Structure formats: structure tokens, C-alpha cells
Amino acid sequence: MSVETVESAGPTPKKGVSILFGLTLVGLLVVLWLLLGLATNAFWTPNNISNLLRQGAMTAILAVGQTFVIITAGIDLSVGAVVGFTSVIVAWLLAAGVPLWLAIIATLAIGVLIGAFHAFGIVRMGLPPFIITLATLTSLRGIGLLITNGSTISITNDAFTTFSRADFLGVPSLFWMVIVVAIPAYVFLHLSRFGRYLFAVGSNREAARLSGVNVNRTIYLAYILSSTCAAFVGLLLASRIGIGNATQAEGWELQAIASSVIGGTSLFGAVGSVHGPLLGAFILATINNGANLLNVNSFWQRIITGLLIIVIVYFDQLRRRGAR
Amino acid sequence: MIGLQEVSHRHDEQVRAAGGRSVPKGEPILELRGLQKNYGAVEALKPATMTFLSGEIHAIVGENGAGKSTLIKLLTGVIARSAGEIRWCGETVDLATPNEAIARGINAVHQEVVLCPHLSVAANMFLGDEMNRRGLMRKRAMTGAAQGVLDDLGFNLPANAELGSLTIGQQQLVATARAAMRGTQFLIFDEPTAYLTRQESAQLFRLIRRLQGEGVTIVYISHRLEEVFELADRVSVLRDGTHVGTRAISETNEAELITLMINRTIEQIYHKEHFESGEMIVETRGLSGPGFRDVSLSVRAGEIVGLYGLIGAGRSEFALGLYGRNPVSAGEIFWQGRKVAIGNERKAMDLGIALAPESRRDQGLCLNLPIGVNINLPVFKRLTRGLTINRAEEASNAERQIRDLKIKTPSRRVLASAMSGGNQQKIVIGRWLSHGAKLFIFDEPTVGVDVGTKAEIYRLFARLLEKGAGIILISSYLPEVYELADRLHVFRQGRLVASHDYRAASHEEVLAQAINA
């Protein structure tokens, strides 16, 4: 045999290379932290670290949900709008006197419905994921603004609003929420058969279908998970800022996609992991945090983020090609 | 009759690029001296010394993985050699990039057409070499010129049609015409007839002979030895990355070539065992659906039912209808005597139907996923314990198929895309062996598969029949269905037009029924 049998270190959802790439990202994160620690005294303070973990947490959760969708070779542009919209929903429900537990469940259920609607548009109406999620991106913000009549709804429930500021075992509760999402997400994507189906659908829909994989159900699953993660982040955001506001979380969908891609997810589908987007999100959060500490103009932060996406994805491509 | 190459206004440049000299017919135009390619420790091509003569049709045969694709990639500048020398028209050349190869007049036509399906035939033929006047494209002139070439070749294709609306065979002809227009001196065909109908193959052969007549040197790679004998002047054989010999076509025969290729005799290839036919597995009555009408046939345990016809005759469509992939509009299906409705693929699988589809790339494999995942795809449910997949069982299940089917890979983690055609087919088959089935549908199982693997697949059929399964074998390659099928059905334009028992009709008769001659 010739080239055919050369072990190509490809994007397997399993051991080996994906872990190695994960480690490079961990290395990058550690280097960033060490450099920032040297450059500024304020970085390694408990306060700042807590702050960093809070900042990264919400993007990280969005990015994990987004990754499920991207693995199926789709995209979910609506997640930022879903965050803003669900922050309005939970604030509205609480203002209407709905008990907290019910408000949370209802908000998450709205996330499920939005995801199901996306999948319906893709599977039944044959719309490209880009289009259907772009449509909900704009309409959800509109519905949210209609509900609030363009203003914000304050949240007076103290139990809800103190949650995001609380610590547990010295770690911010928001970061615990990342772990609460990431562990089941890991089990789902890497250990359960549904994870395999996501990869199979992203790699070759027809082959998956002819092998008995329920392709439509898999697509429903991916978009529902993404929107539900976004609704969950909507709850966390509402808790953190104490209001419901439909214009919040503007552009977070791009942060989520960027985190996912930095974390090694391929926009062509069938390549991705759970730890990748988590690392990606915290690398982005570190850069923003560090730039703030160093008094770098926030406009520069955007430019740096853009350059970083290019550099990291470029090196990822090189690594994949080199492995052939 | 205008020469093809006159159409290209770039032709003169290319002759200059090629050194401005042409090599007299019969003299060496391309020489390989100790050409070698290693990937790490793997020797894809062991030092090869070969000579291609100007104006000849030189066939290259060998099993998949024998080094043919490596050789093409080296000659077209796609990959860099590890050692050795390439001499073009007597001088040493780098051939380091595809552009250099094209500039020297070396071109390849690939089995899978690599053109733009949304552009017109003419736009594709002129792609990258458009006719311009003051920065604007001369669309009408190009369409006219392209039509001229197509008409001249007797292709009967409209130059303004969208490429994607043509059959794969017709697209192949366009790709060939495109290469021919570009002042090519050395043209490599990589299994061009794999997806072609007979008429299309015949047209392609005419084109190849014509190019030869205009002085183009042709390298022709094929698994079909009868084509080699029909077309080639000389033939070179590769085996396991080694060039084992070159023969003049007049001084060799099929048996010798096969022995050189695989060290095995021809009788061992079409392996056929007859079994007592048992219970009725499936029967269709007047089944109709998209692409097929009123098809009634049955399959019993222990028999192979062959479906022969041209591409597009409705055989694959029938299979997809039976498998629940496409909706059935009329007719009935009886499974082991009981009337059933097969609404989706899962239902078909649960009954015990397995389908190895026509196109491995489009329907069969998740190419950028590991072999193991591809094999286990239908059985992940069975491998699940509670919430998660049992990793040990997942591994052993994949590895058993890799071992049993002799899939040549260092690990189940290698991506399916890295495998040769024969090994890819084994992955698809392994998937269904591991799932288990009562009725196996094999749609073109040996397209792009080497002789050795073919023989293995045929032996596997016998093993399946022995265990009481039934097989539907769909093939456009008559000798295959003819030698293997216990009952042979001929399809034409979506209908079942004739049926024969094992070897009851002659090749010519079957062929005539398929093309309505």
C-alpha cells in the first residue's frame, strides 16, 4: 500500500491529535496568563481572576452549543439574539409574579422551541442554516423590543440577581455553570452515540441516512441544544445585569463562533470537540481582560481578536496538512 | 476537420514552454529514472525506471494501492518526488508544481470530474483561458468555438448547457475535450470509463485515438483489461509500488497481465458457488417509484439476482425504493411472504436489508471520519450501554471487520478518505456484515476496485449465500453480473425488460436488450 495507509492524523473526535491541539491551546492560555502576570500586577489578583472566569463563562457556554451545530456543517447565527430575548422573557415572567423555578424552566423551554423552529426550517422547509438563523436573529430582537416597548425590565428577585455574583468554593458561580454544561456536553458529544451521529451527519448526510442514522432528528438535536445553551446564558446574563433587555448580547454569536473555531472546530463540519470551544472562549476572554488591564484601546481588542482568529486557524490548517 | 489544438490560442505559448521542439513519433518523450516516493517509512513508489514514447498509448495497470495514483501525482506535479529523475523531451525537469506540468503540456483527466457544475460547458472548456477583448469576455465566440469542437468530435452536446445537467459520462467527455484543447502533448487518463456507458466509452475511445493521431502521447489507467487490449500500444504493470514490467500489447495477453498484477490466475477471479435456493426473502409486485416503473422480481435465500443495464436505467433507483430511501408510488413488497411497507431506511434495516450504495463518496462513506466510525455507524445503538458507547466493544467490533475483510490500514482511527477504492468498498461492506442482514444489495460494488479485491468481494458473496442470505447485485459491467448472477434481470429506461437464468443468454443478447438495439 502507498499513501493510502499512512496514518493521517486527521480530525478524529477521539484521542491523539485533538488532545494535542487542545494542549497547544492550553499552552497558549498559560503563556498569555504568564505574560500578563509579568506585564501587570493586577492580573493575578483573586478579584481579576474571578472576573476573567465570569467574562469567559457565558461565551464558553454559547460556544459549546454552537459547536454542536457547526459539527453538523451548520451554523447558528441567532445565539446572541436568543440571549437578549430570553433575558427579556425571564425578566417579564418574574415581573408578572411567576415563581423563579417556573420562570427558569419556561425560559429554557423557549430556547428549546427556538431551536426546534430552526431545525424545522432546515429540515422541512429546506432553508440553509445561515438564512433561518439570520432570520430569527433579527426577529427575536424585534419581538423582545415589542415586549419591552423598547425599554428594559428590571428584575427585583434578589435570589436570582445575587446568584451571578456568588462564589462557590472560591470559584464564581458563573464558572461552575460552565462545568455544569460542559460535563454533560462532553458525555453527549464524545461518549454517546448521538455525538457520533452529529459527526456523521456533518461528514456525509446521505451516507449517515443510508446507514440508518435519523438525520432529521440529529439536526433537531443540534439546534435545540444550541438554542437551549443560549437561553441558559440569557438567564445568567439577566442575573448578572439585573435587567431584561432585548438589545443585550449584540455580536455574541460571532464571539461564540470565533471561540469554537479557535478551539479547532471546522466550519465544514465533522470536526470539533467540547474542550476546544471552552479553551477558545477563555483565550478570547483573557485577551480582552489583559487589554483592559494594559489600558489598550478597546477598539484594538477587536482587531487583535480578528488577527488571532486568522493566526490560530491558519496554524490549525497547517498542522492538519502537515499530518498527511 | 480542424485539429483540436488549433482552437486554443495558447497553443503556441505551450509549444514554446515545452522547449519549442517536438519529439518525433516513437522516440522517448518522458523518461523516469529511479523515480521514487516515500511517505515516512512507507514506500508508495519504489525506484521506477520507465519510458513513454512520443505518440503512443501507454496503459498502466495494477491493483489499488499499487502506486498508480502516486505515479500520476508525480507526473502532474501534485506531489514532490523523494528521489530520482524525470526527463521531458530529453532534458531533466523539476515538475514541482501542477502549473509547471501544464505549461509543459502534461495534463490529466480524472475519474471524478473536477470542473464547475454551475457553469456552462463552454465556460468550463475555456476556464482559466478565456477569450477576451478589451477586458471583456467574448462569450459568444467561446460558445461557438466550444460547439465546434464538440460537434467535430461527434459528441452531440450543447455548448451552452449547464455542465451539472449532464451525466457524469458526458462531463467526462467535456473534461477530455477541455484537456485536448489546451495544447496538451501528454495526457493521462485515470480510470476514465468507470462511470461511463458503453456509447460514452466508445466516444471517449474515438477521441483518444484521434488525439493520438494528432501526436499526443496518452497514458491510460484502467482496471478493465479488455479496454487496455482494445486501446493501448504498450502496457506497464505496477504491483505494491514496484514497476514489475512493460510489455508491447501484441506480445502479451490478459492472463499474463493478471499474473503480473496479482500473482493469481484469471479463473480465480469470478468466484462462483451454486447453492440450493431456499425460502423467498423478498418479492416485489409492480413496484414503481421515482426512476423505475412496474418492477416485479424476487430474491430467494442462497441466490444472487443480477440487475444489468446502462447507468440511469433505473436499477439503483429501484434499490433505493426497496430500501425505503425514496418513496414508492405503486406496487407491493412482500418480505418473507408478508406484505410490508418500507417507509424509511431504518425500517428496511430492521427487516434485514443492507445496501452498499452506488457511490462510495456521495452515499457510502463519511470520508473525513475514521474507519472505525464508518464501520460502526449502523450499530452504535447496539454498542450503547446506558448513556454511553462501550468503547471496548466499539473498538473490537471495528477491528474484527478490518481483520476479517483484510482492510489495509494501520489503525481503525485512520480516516476513510485516506483509503484506496477497494479498501473503501470493504469498509462499506464491513459495516453491513457487522450489522447483519438477510438481503444484501450491492450497487456497483467493484467500480474503482482492483482485481484482487474484486475476487475477495466475490468470495464474500459466496460466504453470505452459504449463510442463507440473498443478494441483489447491480452492475454496469456485464461480465460481472453474467458470471455471478443466478438470475439476471435487464433494465432499460426504468423498466425490467428481460430476465435470464444463469448463463442462459449470450452477452450480445443481454447487451442488445439493455440498449434496445
Side-chain angles (χ1 to χ4, degrees), chain A residues 1-7 11-12 14 187 191-193 196 199-200 203-204 206-207 209-212 270, chain B residues 39 44 65 323 325 345-346 349 361-363 365-366 368 378 387-389 391 394 408 410 418 420 423 431:
Chain A
M1 290 303 289
S2 58
V3 46
E4 281 94 281
T5 51
V6 180
E7 168 117 29
T12 72
K14 294 184 218 140
V187 172
L191 303 180
S192 86
R193 69 175 191 272
R196 298 282 196 282
F199 285 101
S203 175
N204 188 341
E206 187 64 20
R209 180 172 180 170
L210 291 178
S211 302
Chain B
Y39 291 96
Y323 191 66
R325 170 62 182 86
E345 304 83 5
R346 194 81 225 174
M349 285 167 60
R361 196 184 55 166
D362 298 332
Q363 303 169 297
L365 291 170
C366 295
N368 56 353
L387 283 177
T388 60
I389 294 167
R391 308 290 283 265
E394 183 186 19
K408 286 186 197 161
S420 64
N423 282 306
R431 168 190 297 165

Side-chain angles (χ1 to χ4, degrees), chain B residues 186-477:
Chain B
F186 192 92
L187 189 53
I188 303 165
F189 288 89
D190 186 6
E191 295 218 31
T193 56
Y195 298 115
L196 267 54
T197 64
R198 247 185 93 82
Q199 299 102 304
E200 287 167 342
S201 299
Q203 283 185 325
L204 182 70
F205 287 2
R206 269 206 303 280
L207 174 58
I208 291 175
R209 288 212 186 82
R210 175 168 167 172
L211 287 170
Q212 182 192 26
E214 292 184 8
V216 178
T217 311
I218 308 280
V219 171
Y220 189 88
I221 291 162
S222 180
H223 283 307
R224 299 183 179 171
L225 289 182
E226 69 277 9
E227 291 182 351
V228 169
F229 282 93
E230 187 177 339
L231 208 56
D233 302 314
R234 294 198 303 157
V235 52
S236 292
V237 183
L238 294 179
R239 185 173 72 220
D240 295 331
T242 309
H243 173 217
V244 291
T246 298
R247 302 276 187 278
I249 222 72
S250 52
E251 289 161 18
T252 186
N253 56 45
E254 210 160 306
E256 187 194 19
L257 290 186
I258 288 178
T259 314
L260 281 173
M261 278 160 65
I262 56 172
N263 277 329
R264 208 178 294 127
T265 60
I266 195 165
E267 293 77 41
Q268 290 168 292
I269 292 174
Y270 290 112
H271 179 88
K272 174 75 184 162
E273 292 174 36
H274 291 274
F275 297 96
E276 193 80 14
S277 56
E279 49 147 2
M280 185 72 80
I281 294 177
V282 75
E283 187 183 356
T284 67
R285 289 188 198 154
L287 204 65
S288 302
F292 63 99
R293 269 173 306 161
D294 196 20
V295 176
S296 303
L297 55 79
S298 62
V299 185
R300 290 176 173 278
E303 70 175 5
I304 297 180
V305 172
L307 308 187
Y308 175 73
L310 306 178
I311 287 174
R315 302 157 302 160
S316 304
E317 291 78 2
F318 168 74
L320 289 173
L322 183 57
Y323 191 66
R325 170 62 182 86
N326 291 337
V328 169
S329 56
E332 295 168 314
I333 301 172
F334 292 85
W335 180 261
Q336 295 181 320
R338 199 163 47 84
K339 190 178 171 203
V340 290
I342 303 179
N344 58 49
E345 304 83 5
R346 194 81 225 174
K347 182 78 200 291
M349 285 167 60
D350 290 344
L351 283 175
I353 307 179
L355 171 68
E358 183 179 13
S359 165
R360 290 186 290 272
R361 196 184 55 166
D362 298 332
Q363 303 169 297
L365 291 170
C366 295
L367 285 175
N368 56 353
L369 293 183
I371 295 170
V373 173
N374 272 292
I375 291 176
N376 285 326
L377 205 46
V379 296
F380 276 125
K381 199 167 184 178
R382 200 166 72 199
L383 298 172
T384 298
R385 296 282 170 277
L387 283 177
T388 60
I389 294 167
N390 182 325
R391 308 290 283 265
E393 263 187 71
E394 183 186 19
S396 66
N397 196 53
E399 260 142 30
R400 187 173 60 242
Q401 296 305 333
I402 291 173
R403 200 175 48 240
D404 287 359
L405 292 173
K406 301 194 199 79
I407 298 174
K408 286 186 197 161
T409 171
S411 149
R412 71 191 158 83
R413 295 189 207 285
V414 174
L415 303 188
S417 59
M419 307 306 291
S420 64
N423 282 306
Q424 287 184 345
Q425 189 66 55
K426 288 182 181 177
I427 296 172
V428 176
I429 293 175
R431 168 190 297 165
W432 293 116
L433 294 185
S434 113
H435 180 265
K438 192 92 182 108
L439 172 69
F440 289 84
I441 306 174
F442 292 98
D443 195 348
E444 303 284 4
T446 59
V447 166
V449 168
D450 55 273
V451 185
T453 307
K454 262 188 192 178
E456 285 178 44
I457 290 175
Y458 299 148
R459 252 192 301 278
L460 184 79
F461 287 176
R463 257 165 50 203
L464 292 173
L465 298 177
E466 197 173 13
K467 286 185 198 147
I471 291 175
I472 294 180
L473 172 64
I474 300 175
S475 181
S476 305
Y477 187 52

Side-chain angles (χ1 to χ4, degrees), chain A residues 145-164:
Chain A
L145 287 169
L146 274 180
I147 291 174
T148 60
N149 203 12
S151 66
T152 60
I153 302 175
S154 301
I155 299 171
T156 50
N157 188 321
D158 284 345
F160 185 65
T161 49
T162 49
F163 173 78
S164 63

Side-chain angles (χ1 to χ4, degrees), chain B residues 94-208:
Chain B
D94 288 337
L95 286 187
T97 64
N99 277 337
E100 188 192 341
I102 292 167
R104 290 187 190 280
I106 301 176
N107 230 317
V109 174
H110 297 280
Q111 178 183 342
E112 318 266 352
V113 179
V114 274
L115 290 174
C116 306
H118 295 102
L119 298 182
S120 73
V121 168
N124 271 294
M125 285 170 71
F126 281 96
L127 193 65
D129 194 20
E130 286 84 359
M131 295 180 183
N132 292 302
R133 183 188 288 147
R134 292 189 216 100
L136 297 177
M137 271 204 284
R138 301 177 56 205
K139 208 171 164 189
R140 216 173 314 149
M142 286 194 290
T143 308
Q147 192 67 60
V149 172
L150 294 172
D151 290 348
D152 195 32
L153 293 170
F155 278 3
N156 193 19
L157 291 174
N160 55 6
E162 196 179 281
L163 186 78
S165 67
L166 306 180
T167 67
I168 296 177
Q170 291 170 326
Q171 295 185 29
Q172 190 98 55
L173 293 175
V174 173
T176 312
R178 174 185 148 88
M181 272 169 52
R182 310 221 143 191
T184 297
Q185 298 196 13
F186 192 92
L187 189 53
I188 303 165
F189 288 89
D190 186 6
E191 295 218 31
T193 56
Y195 298 115
L196 267 54
T197 64
R198 247 185 93 82
Q199 299 102 304
E200 287 167 342
S201 299
Q203 283 185 325
L204 182 70
F205 287 2
R206 269 206 303 280
L207 174 58
I208 291 175

Side-chain angles (χ1 to χ4, degrees), chain A residues 19-97:
Chain A
I19 284 180
L20 203 69
F21 184 61
L23 285 180
T24 345
L25 288 178
V26 170
L28 179 63
L29 200 53
V30 169
V31 167
L32 280 174
W33 285 355
L34 290 177
L35 287 178
L36 284 171
L38 291 175
T40 157
N41 289 330
F43 185 78
W44 281 112
T45 57
N47 223 346
N48 187 56
I49 294 299
S50 294
N51 201 15
L52 174 63
L53 292 182
R54 284 201 187 92
Q55 282 176 350
M58 294 197 238
T59 318
I61 295 171
L62 287 183
V64 168
Q66 183 73 250
T67 301
F68 294 143
V69 166
I70 298 181
I71 286 174
T72 67
I75 194 100
D76 189 347
L77 295 178
S78 73
V79 292
V82 172
V83 171
F85 179 72
T86 49
S87 80
V88 169
I89 294 295
V90 71
W92 191 45
L93 290 172
L94 289 174

